[in-house]
Amino acid sequence: AYFVLRGSSTAWAEPLGIGLGVALTVLLVASSLCASAAVRSLRAGERVSASKLLLAAALLASGFLGIQAFEWIELAQA
Protein backbone atom coordinates (compact mmCIF):
# COMPACT_ATOMS: atom_id res chain seq x y z
CA ALA A 1 0.00 0.00 0.00
CA TYR A 2 2.88 2.37 0.82
CA PHE A 3 4.45 2.05 -2.61
CA VAL A 4 1.13 2.50 -4.44
CA LEU A 5 0.22 5.60 -2.43
CA ARG A 6 3.75 7.00 -2.61
CA GLY A 7 3.95 6.48 -6.35
CA SER A 8 0.60 8.08 -7.06
CA SER A 9 1.01 11.11 -4.77
CA THR A 10 2.39 14.42 -6.00
CA ALA A 11 2.81 15.87 -2.48
CA TRP A 12 4.07 13.36 0.04
CA ALA A 13 5.27 14.05 3.56
CA GLU A 14 8.31 11.93 4.22
CA PRO A 15 7.83 9.39 7.02
CA LEU A 16 10.16 8.93 9.97
CA GLY A 17 13.82 8.49 9.28
CA ILE A 18 15.35 5.03 9.51
CA GLY A 19 17.31 5.85 12.67
CA LEU A 20 14.28 7.12 14.54
CA GLY A 21 12.24 4.15 13.37
CA VAL A 22 14.88 1.78 14.72
CA ALA A 23 14.98 3.66 18.03
CA LEU A 24 11.20 3.48 18.36
CA THR A 25 11.24 -0.23 17.60
CA VAL A 26 13.92 -0.82 20.23
CA LEU A 27 11.89 1.12 22.82
CA LEU A 28 8.74 -0.83 22.05
CA VAL A 29 10.44 -4.24 22.07
CA ALA A 30 12.31 -3.44 25.28
CA SER A 31 9.05 -2.38 26.92
CA SER A 32 7.38 -5.62 25.85
CA LEU A 33 10.29 -7.69 27.15
CA CYS A 34 10.15 -5.91 30.51
CA ALA A 35 6.41 -6.51 30.77
CA SER A 36 6.86 -10.18 29.90
CA ALA A 37 9.63 -10.56 32.47
CA ALA A 38 7.39 -8.87 35.06
CA VAL A 39 4.70 -11.48 34.45
CA ARG A 40 7.25 -14.25 34.92
CA SER A 41 8.45 -12.58 38.13
CA LEU A 42 4.91 -12.38 39.46
CA ARG A 43 4.34 -16.05 38.73
CA ALA A 44 7.54 -16.84 40.61
CA GLY A 45 6.35 -14.77 43.57
CA GLU A 46 8.99 -12.04 43.16
CA ARG A 47 6.86 -8.94 43.71
CA VAL A 48 9.70 -6.44 44.10
CA SER A 49 11.35 -7.56 40.88
CA ALA A 50 8.00 -7.48 39.07
CA SER A 51 7.36 -3.92 40.29
CA LYS A 52 10.72 -2.73 39.01
CA LEU A 53 10.18 -4.42 35.66
CA LEU A 54 6.71 -2.93 35.29
CA LEU A 55 8.10 0.51 36.07
CA ALA A 56 10.79 0.03 33.43
CA ALA A 57 8.16 -1.14 30.93
CA ALA A 58 6.00 1.90 31.67
CA LEU A 59 8.93 4.30 31.27
CA LEU A 60 10.01 2.73 27.99
CA ALA A 61 6.45 2.75 26.66
CA SER A 62 6.05 6.39 27.73
CA GLY A 63 9.21 7.29 25.83
CA PHE A 64 7.84 5.53 22.77
CA LEU A 65 4.50 7.34 23.02
CA GLY A 66 6.17 10.70 23.59
CA ILE A 67 8.31 10.38 20.49
CA GLN A 68 5.30 9.15 18.49
CA ALA A 69 3.24 12.16 19.59
CA PHE A 70 6.06 14.52 18.60
CA GLU A 71 6.41 12.89 15.19
CA TRP A 72 2.65 12.90 14.50
CA ILE A 73 2.46 16.59 15.36
CA GLU A 74 5.33 17.30 12.98
CA LEU A 75 3.70 15.17 10.27
CA ALA A 76 0.36 16.95 10.68
CA GLN A 77 2.08 20.35 10.40
CA ALA A 78 3.83 19.28 7.20
Side-chain angles (χ1 to χ4, degrees):
Y2 169 81
F3 293 110
V4 170
L5 291 172
R6 176 72 168 106
S8 63
S9 176
T10 56
W12 184 264
E14 286 298 320
L16 301 175
I18 298 293
L20 188 56
V22 169
L24 288 171
T25 301
V26 168
L27 279 174
L28 197 57
V29 169
S31 176
S32 297
L33 290 174
C34 286
S36 178
V39 170
R40 284 193 303 273
S41 292
L42 280 174
R43 289 183 180 156
E46 301 169 355
R47 294 175 56 132
V48 174
S49 175
S51 296
K52 290 178 183 177
L53 286 165
L54 285 175
L55 177 61
L59 291 174
L60 290 165
S62 295
F64 171 81
L65 290 174
I67 296 171
Q68 279 291 304
F70 175 75
E71 287 298 317
W72 276 102
I73 290 168
E74 271 195 359
L75 186 62
Q77 290 174 349

Coordinates of all heavy atoms in Angstrom, one line a residue:
A1 N 0.8 -1.2 0.0 CA 0.0 0.0 0.0 C 0.9 1.3 0.0 O 0.6 2.2 -0.7 CB -0.9 0.0 1.2
Y2 N 2.0 1.2 0.8 CA 2.9 2.4 0.8 C 3.4 2.7 -0.6 O 3.3 3.9 -1.0 CB 4.0 2.1 1.8 CG 5.1 3.1 1.7 CD1 5.0 4.3 2.4 CD2 6.3 2.9 0.9 CE1 6.0 5.3 2.3 CE2 7.3 3.9 0.8 CZ 7.1 5.1 1.5 OH 8.1 6.0 1.4
F3 N 3.9 1.8 -1.3 CA 4.5 2.1 -2.6 C 3.4 2.6 -3.6 O 3.7 3.4 -4.4 CB 5.2 0.8 -3.2 CG 6.4 0.5 -2.3 CD1 6.4 -0.7 -1.6 CD2 7.5 1.3 -2.3 CE1 7.5 -1.0 -0.8 CE2 8.6 1.0 -1.6 CZ 8.6 -0.2 -0.8
V4 N 2.2 2.0 -3.6 CA 1.1 2.5 -4.4 C 0.8 3.9 -4.1 O 0.7 4.8 -5.0 CB -0.1 1.6 -4.3 CG1 -1.3 2.2 -5.1 CG2 0.2 0.2 -4.9
L5 N 0.6 4.2 -2.8 CA 0.2 5.6 -2.4 C 1.4 6.6 -2.7 O 1.2 7.7 -3.2 CB -0.2 5.6 -1.0 CG -1.5 4.9 -0.6 CD1 -1.7 4.9 0.9 CD2 -2.6 5.7 -1.3
R6 N 2.6 6.1 -2.4 CA 3.7 7.0 -2.6 C 3.9 7.3 -4.1 O 4.2 8.4 -4.5 CB 5.0 6.3 -2.0 CG 6.3 7.1 -2.3 CD 6.3 8.3 -1.4 NE 7.6 8.9 -1.4 CZ 7.9 10.0 -2.0 NH1 7.0 10.7 -2.7 NH2 9.1 10.5 -2.0
G7 N 3.8 6.3 -4.9 CA 4.0 6.5 -6.4 C 2.9 7.3 -7.0 O 3.1 8.0 -8.0
S8 N 1.7 7.3 -6.4 CA 0.6 8.1 -7.1 C 0.4 9.5 -6.5 O -0.4 10.2 -6.9 CB -0.7 7.3 -6.9 OG -1.0 7.1 -5.6
S9 N 1.2 9.8 -5.4 CA 1.0 11.1 -4.8 C 2.0 12.1 -5.3 O 3.2 11.9 -5.5 CB 1.2 10.9 -3.3 OG 1.2 12.2 -2.6
T10 N 1.5 13.4 -5.5 CA 2.4 14.4 -6.0 C 3.0 15.1 -4.8 O 4.1 15.6 -4.9 CB 1.6 15.4 -6.9 OG1 0.5 15.9 -6.1 CG2 1.1 14.8 -8.1
A11 N 2.3 15.2 -3.7 CA 2.8 15.9 -2.5 C 2.8 14.8 -1.4 O 1.7 14.4 -0.9 CB 1.9 17.1 -2.1
W12 N 4.0 14.4 -0.9 CA 4.1 13.4 0.0 C 5.0 13.8 1.2 O 6.1 14.2 1.0 CB 4.7 12.1 -0.6 CG 4.7 10.9 0.3 CD1 5.8 10.5 1.0 CD2 3.7 10.0 0.5 NE1 5.5 9.4 1.7 CE2 4.2 9.1 1.4 CE3 2.4 9.9 0.1 CZ2 3.4 8.0 1.9 CZ3 1.6 8.8 0.5 CH2 2.1 7.9 1.4
A13 N 4.4 13.8 2.4 CA 5.3 14.1 3.6 C 6.1 12.8 3.9 O 5.6 11.7 4.0 CB 4.4 14.4 4.7
E14 N 7.4 13.0 4.0 CA 8.3 11.9 4.2 C 8.1 11.4 5.6 O 7.9 12.1 6.6 CB 9.8 12.4 4.1 CG 10.2 12.6 2.7 CD 10.2 11.4 1.8 OE1 10.5 10.3 2.3 OE2 9.7 11.5 0.7
P15 N 8.0 10.0 5.7 CA 7.8 9.4 7.0 C 9.1 9.5 7.9 O 10.1 10.1 7.5 CB 7.5 7.9 6.7 CG 8.2 7.7 5.4 CD 8.2 9.1 4.6
L16 N 9.0 8.9 9.0 CA 10.2 8.9 10.0 C 11.4 8.5 9.3 O 11.4 7.6 8.4 CB 9.9 8.0 11.2 CG 8.7 8.3 12.0 CD1 8.5 7.2 13.0 CD2 8.8 9.6 12.7
G17 N 12.5 9.0 9.8 CA 13.8 8.5 9.3 C 14.1 7.1 9.8 O 13.5 6.6 10.7
I18 N 15.0 6.4 9.1 CA 15.4 5.0 9.5 C 15.9 5.0 10.9 O 15.5 4.1 11.7 CB 16.4 4.5 8.5 CG1 15.9 4.4 7.1 CG2 16.9 3.1 9.0 CD1 14.7 3.4 6.9
G19 N 16.7 5.9 11.3 CA 17.3 5.8 12.7 C 16.3 6.0 13.7 O 16.3 5.3 14.7
L20 N 15.3 6.9 13.6 CA 14.3 7.1 14.5 C 13.3 5.9 14.6 O 12.9 5.5 15.6 CB 13.5 8.4 14.2 CG 12.5 8.8 15.3 CD1 13.2 9.0 16.7 CD2 11.8 10.1 14.9
G21 N 13.1 5.4 13.4 CA 12.2 4.2 13.4 C 12.9 3.0 14.1 O 12.2 2.3 14.8
V22 N 14.2 2.8 14.0 CA 14.9 1.8 14.7 C 14.8 2.1 16.2 O 14.6 1.2 17.0 CB 16.3 1.7 14.2 CG1 17.2 0.8 15.1 CG2 16.4 1.1 12.8
A23 N 15.0 3.3 16.6 CA 15.0 3.7 18.0 C 13.6 3.4 18.6 O 13.5 2.9 19.7 CB 15.4 5.1 18.2
L24 N 12.6 3.7 17.9 CA 11.2 3.5 18.4 C 10.9 2.0 18.5 O 10.3 1.5 19.4 CB 10.2 4.1 17.4 CG 10.1 5.6 17.5 CD1 9.2 6.2 16.4 CD2 9.6 6.1 18.8
T25 N 11.4 1.2 17.5 CA 11.2 -0.2 17.6 C 12.0 -0.8 18.8 O 11.4 -1.7 19.5 CB 11.8 -0.9 16.3 OG1 11.0 -0.3 15.2 CG2 11.6 -2.4 16.3
V26 N 13.2 -0.3 19.1 CA 13.9 -0.8 20.2 C 13.2 -0.5 21.5 O 13.1 -1.3 22.4 CB 15.3 -0.2 20.2 CG1 16.0 -0.5 21.6 CG2 16.1 -0.8 19.1
L27 N 12.6 0.7 21.6 CA 11.9 1.1 22.8 C 10.7 0.2 23.0 O 10.4 -0.2 24.1 CB 11.4 2.6 22.7 CG 12.4 3.7 23.1 CD1 11.8 5.0 22.8 CD2 12.8 3.6 24.5
L28 N 9.9 0.0 21.9 CA 8.7 -0.8 22.0 C 9.0 -2.3 22.4 O 8.4 -2.9 23.2 CB 8.0 -0.7 20.7 CG 6.5 -1.2 20.8 CD1 5.7 -0.4 21.8 CD2 5.9 -1.0 19.4
V29 N 10.1 -2.9 21.8 CA 10.4 -4.2 22.1 C 11.0 -4.4 23.5 O 10.6 -5.3 24.2 CB 11.5 -4.8 21.0 CG1 12.1 -6.1 21.5 CG2 10.8 -4.9 19.7
A30 N 11.8 -3.4 23.9 CA 12.3 -3.4 25.3 C 11.2 -3.3 26.3 O 11.2 -4.0 27.3 CB 13.3 -2.3 25.5
S31 N 10.2 -2.5 26.0 CA 9.0 -2.4 26.9 C 8.3 -3.7 27.0 O 7.9 -4.1 28.1 CB 8.1 -1.3 26.4 OG 7.0 -1.2 27.2
S32 N 8.1 -4.3 25.9 CA 7.4 -5.6 25.9 C 8.2 -6.7 26.6 O 7.6 -7.5 27.3 CB 7.2 -6.1 24.4 OG 6.3 -5.2 23.7
L33 N 9.5 -6.7 26.4 CA 10.3 -7.7 27.1 C 10.2 -7.5 28.7 O 10.2 -8.4 29.4 CB 11.7 -7.6 26.6 CG 11.9 -8.2 25.2 CD1 13.4 -7.9 24.8 CD2 11.6 -9.6 25.1
C34 N 10.2 -6.2 29.1 CA 10.1 -5.9 30.5 C 8.8 -6.4 31.1 O 8.7 -6.9 32.2 CB 10.4 -4.4 30.8 SG 12.1 -3.9 30.6
A35 N 7.7 -6.1 30.3 CA 6.4 -6.5 30.8 C 6.3 -8.0 30.9 O 5.7 -8.6 31.8 CB 5.3 -6.0 29.8
S36 N 6.9 -8.7 29.9 CA 6.9 -10.2 29.9 C 7.7 -10.7 31.1 O 7.2 -11.7 31.7 CB 7.4 -10.7 28.6 OG 7.5 -12.1 28.6
A37 N 8.8 -10.1 31.3 CA 9.6 -10.6 32.5 C 8.9 -10.3 33.8 O 9.0 -11.0 34.8 CB 11.0 -9.9 32.4
A38 N 8.2 -9.2 33.8 CA 7.4 -8.9 35.1 C 6.3 -9.9 35.3 O 6.1 -10.3 36.5 CB 6.7 -7.5 34.9
V39 N 5.7 -10.4 34.3 CA 4.7 -11.5 34.5 C 5.4 -12.7 35.0 O 4.9 -13.4 35.9 CB 4.0 -11.8 33.1 CG1 3.1 -13.0 33.2 CG2 3.1 -10.6 32.7
R40 N 6.5 -13.1 34.4 CA 7.3 -14.2 34.9 C 7.7 -14.1 36.4 O 7.6 -15.0 37.2 CB 8.5 -14.5 34.1 CG 8.1 -15.2 32.7 CD 9.4 -15.7 32.0 NE 10.4 -14.7 31.8 CZ 10.5 -13.9 30.7 NH1 9.5 -14.0 29.8 NH2 11.4 -13.0 30.6
S41 N 8.1 -12.9 36.7 CA 8.5 -12.6 38.1 C 7.3 -12.7 39.1 O 7.4 -13.3 40.2 CB 9.0 -11.2 38.3 OG 10.3 -11.1 37.6
L42 N 6.1 -12.2 38.6 CA 4.9 -12.4 39.5 C 4.5 -13.8 39.7 O 4.2 -14.2 40.8 CB 3.7 -11.6 38.8 CG 3.7 -10.1 39.1 CD1 2.5 -9.5 38.3 CD2 3.5 -9.8 40.5
R43 N 4.6 -14.6 38.6 CA 4.3 -16.0 38.7 C 5.3 -16.8 39.7 O 5.0 -17.7 40.3 CB 4.3 -16.7 37.4 CG 3.1 -16.3 36.5 CD 3.1 -17.0 35.2 NE 1.9 -16.5 34.5 CZ 1.8 -16.6 33.2 NH1 2.8 -17.0 32.4 NH2 0.7 -16.1 32.6
A44 N 6.5 -16.2 39.7 CA 7.5 -16.8 40.6 C 7.4 -16.3 42.0 O 8.2 -16.7 42.9 CB 8.9 -16.6 40.1
G45 N 6.5 -15.3 42.2 CA 6.3 -14.8 43.6 C 7.3 -13.6 43.9 O 7.4 -13.3 45.1
E46 N 8.0 -13.1 42.9 CA 9.0 -12.0 43.2 C 8.3 -10.7 42.9 O 8.5 -10.1 41.8 CB 10.2 -12.3 42.3 CG 10.9 -13.6 42.5 CD 11.9 -13.9 41.4 OE1 12.0 -13.1 40.4 OE2 12.6 -14.9 41.5
R47 N 7.6 -10.2 43.9 CA 6.9 -8.9 43.7 C 7.7 -7.7 43.5 O 7.4 -6.8 42.7 CB 5.9 -8.8 44.9 CG 4.8 -9.8 45.0 CD 4.0 -9.7 46.2 NE 3.4 -8.4 46.3 CZ 2.2 -8.1 46.5 NH1 1.4 -9.1 46.7 NH2 1.7 -6.9 46.6
V48 N 8.8 -7.6 44.2 CA 9.7 -6.4 44.1 C 10.3 -6.4 42.7 O 10.3 -5.3 42.1 CB 10.8 -6.5 45.2 CG1 11.8 -5.3 45.0 CG2 10.2 -6.4 46.6
S49 N 10.8 -7.5 42.2 CA 11.3 -7.6 40.9 C 10.3 -7.2 39.8 O 10.6 -6.5 38.9 CB 11.9 -8.9 40.6 OG 12.4 -9.1 39.3
A50 N 9.1 -7.7 40.0 CA 8.0 -7.5 39.1 C 7.7 -6.0 39.1 O 7.4 -5.4 38.0 CB 6.8 -8.3 39.4
S51 N 7.7 -5.4 40.2 CA 7.4 -3.9 40.3 C 8.4 -3.1 39.5 O 8.0 -2.2 38.8 CB 7.3 -3.5 41.7 OG 6.3 -4.1 42.4
K52 N 9.7 -3.5 39.7 CA 10.7 -2.7 39.0 C 10.6 -2.9 37.5 O 10.8 -2.0 36.7 CB 12.1 -3.2 39.5 CG 12.4 -2.7 40.9 CD 13.7 -3.2 41.4 CE 13.9 -2.8 42.9 NZ 15.2 -3.4 43.4
L53 N 10.3 -4.1 37.1 CA 10.2 -4.4 35.7 C 9.0 -3.7 35.1 O 9.1 -3.2 33.9 CB 10.1 -5.9 35.4 CG 11.4 -6.7 35.6 CD1 11.1 -8.2 35.7 CD2 12.3 -6.4 34.4
L54 N 7.9 -3.7 35.8 CA 6.7 -2.9 35.3 C 7.0 -1.4 35.2 O 6.5 -0.8 34.3 CB 5.5 -3.2 36.2 CG 4.9 -4.6 36.0 CD1 3.7 -4.8 37.0 CD2 4.3 -4.7 34.6
L55 N 7.7 -0.9 36.1 CA 8.1 0.5 36.1 C 9.0 0.8 34.8 O 8.8 1.7 34.1 CB 8.8 0.9 37.3 CG 9.3 2.4 37.4 CD1 8.2 3.4 37.3 CD2 10.1 2.6 38.6
A56 N 9.9 -0.1 34.6 CA 10.8 0.0 33.4 C 10.0 -0.1 32.2 O 10.2 0.7 31.2 CB 11.9 -1.0 33.4
A57 N 9.0 -1.0 32.1 CA 8.2 -1.1 30.9 C 7.3 0.1 30.7 O 7.2 0.6 29.6 CB 7.2 -2.3 31.1
A58 N 6.8 0.7 31.8 CA 6.0 1.9 31.7 C 6.8 3.1 31.2 O 6.4 3.9 30.4 CB 5.3 2.2 33.0
L59 N 8.1 3.2 31.7 CA 8.9 4.3 31.3 C 9.3 4.2 29.8 O 9.3 5.2 29.1 CB 10.2 4.4 32.2 CG 9.9 4.8 33.6 CD1 11.2 4.7 34.4 CD2 9.4 6.2 33.7
L60 N 9.7 3.0 29.4 CA 10.0 2.7 28.0 C 8.8 3.0 27.1 O 9.0 3.6 26.0 CB 10.5 1.3 27.8 CG 11.9 1.0 28.4 CD1 12.1 -0.5 28.5 CD2 13.0 1.7 27.6
A61 N 7.6 2.5 27.5 CA 6.4 2.8 26.7 C 6.1 4.2 26.6 O 5.7 4.7 25.6 CB 5.3 1.9 27.2
S62 N 6.3 5.0 27.7 CA 6.1 6.4 27.7 C 7.0 7.1 26.8 O 6.6 8.1 26.1 CB 6.2 6.9 29.1 OG 5.2 6.4 30.0
G63 N 8.3 6.7 26.8 CA 9.2 7.3 25.8 C 8.8 7.1 24.4 O 8.8 8.0 23.6
F64 N 8.3 5.8 24.1 CA 7.8 5.5 22.8 C 6.7 6.4 22.4 O 6.6 7.0 21.3 CB 7.4 4.0 22.7 CG 6.7 3.7 21.4 CD1 7.4 3.4 20.3 CD2 5.3 3.6 21.4 CE1 6.8 3.1 19.1 CE2 4.7 3.3 20.2 CZ 5.4 3.0 19.1
L65 N 5.7 6.5 23.3 CA 4.5 7.3 23.0 C 4.8 8.8 22.9 O 4.3 9.5 22.0 CB 3.5 7.1 24.1 CG 2.8 5.8 24.1 CD1 1.9 5.6 25.3 CD2 2.0 5.5 22.8
G66 N 5.8 9.3 23.7 CA 6.2 10.7 23.6 C 6.8 11.0 22.2 O 6.5 12.0 21.6
I67 N 7.7 10.2 21.8 CA 8.3 10.4 20.5 C 7.3 10.3 19.4 O 7.3 11.0 18.4 CB 9.5 9.4 20.3 CG1 10.6 9.7 21.3 CG2 10.0 9.5 18.9 CD1 11.7 8.7 21.3
Q68 N 6.4 9.3 19.5 CA 5.3 9.2 18.5 C 4.4 10.4 18.4 O 4.1 10.9 17.3 CB 4.4 7.9 18.8 CG 5.0 6.6 18.4 CD 5.0 6.5 16.9 OE1 4.0 6.6 16.2 NE2 6.2 6.2 16.4
A69 N 4.1 10.9 19.6 CA 3.2 12.2 19.6 C 4.0 13.3 18.9 O 3.4 14.0 18.1 CB 2.9 12.5 21.0
F70 N 5.3 13.5 19.2 CA 6.1 14.5 18.6 C 6.1 14.3 17.1 O 5.9 15.3 16.3 CB 7.5 14.5 19.2 CG 8.4 15.5 18.5 CD1 8.3 16.8 18.8 CD2 9.4 15.0 17.6 CE1 9.2 17.7 18.2 CE2 10.2 15.9 17.0 CZ 10.2 17.2 17.3
E71 N 6.3 13.1 16.6 CA 6.4 12.9 15.2 C 5.1 13.1 14.5 O 5.0 13.6 13.4 CB 6.9 11.5 14.9 CG 8.4 11.3 15.2 CD 9.2 12.2 14.3 OE1 9.0 12.3 13.1 OE2 10.2 12.8 14.9
W72 N 4.0 12.7 15.1 CA 2.7 12.9 14.5 C 2.3 14.4 14.4 O 1.7 14.8 13.4 CB 1.6 12.1 15.3 CG 1.5 10.7 14.8 CD1 2.0 9.6 15.5 CD2 0.9 10.2 13.6 NE1 1.7 8.5 14.8 CE2 1.1 8.8 13.6 CE3 0.2 10.8 12.5 CZ2 0.6 8.0 12.6 CZ3 -0.2 10.0 11.5 CH2 0.0 8.6 11.5
I73 N 2.7 15.1 15.4 CA 2.5 16.6 15.4 C 3.2 17.2 14.2 O 2.7 18.0 13.5 CB 2.8 17.2 16.7 CG1 1.8 16.8 17.8 CG2 2.9 18.8 16.6 CD1 2.2 17.2 19.2
E74 N 4.5 16.8 14.1 CA 5.3 17.3 13.0 C 4.7 16.9 11.6 O 4.7 17.7 10.7 CB 6.8 16.8 13.1 CG 7.7 17.6 13.9 CD 9.1 17.2 13.7 OE1 9.4 16.3 12.9 OE2 10.0 17.9 14.3
L75 N 4.3 15.7 11.5 CA 3.7 15.2 10.3 C 2.4 15.9 9.9 O 2.2 16.3 8.8 CB 3.4 13.7 10.4 CG 2.9 13.0 9.1 CD1 4.0 13.1 8.0 CD2 2.6 11.5 9.4
A76 N 1.6 16.2 10.9 CA 0.4 16.9 10.7 C 0.7 18.4 10.2 O -0.1 18.9 9.4 CB -0.5 16.9 11.9
Q77 N 1.7 19.0 10.8 CA 2.1 20.3 10.4 C 2.6 20.4 9.0 O 2.5 21.4 8.3 CB 3.1 20.9 11.4 CG 2.4 21.2 12.8 CD 3.5 21.7 13.8 OE1 4.7 21.6 13.6 NE2 3.0 22.1 14.9
A78 N 3.3 19.3 8.6 CA 3.8 19.3 7.2 C 2.7 19.2 6.2 O 2.8 19.7 5.1 CB 4.8 18.1 7.1

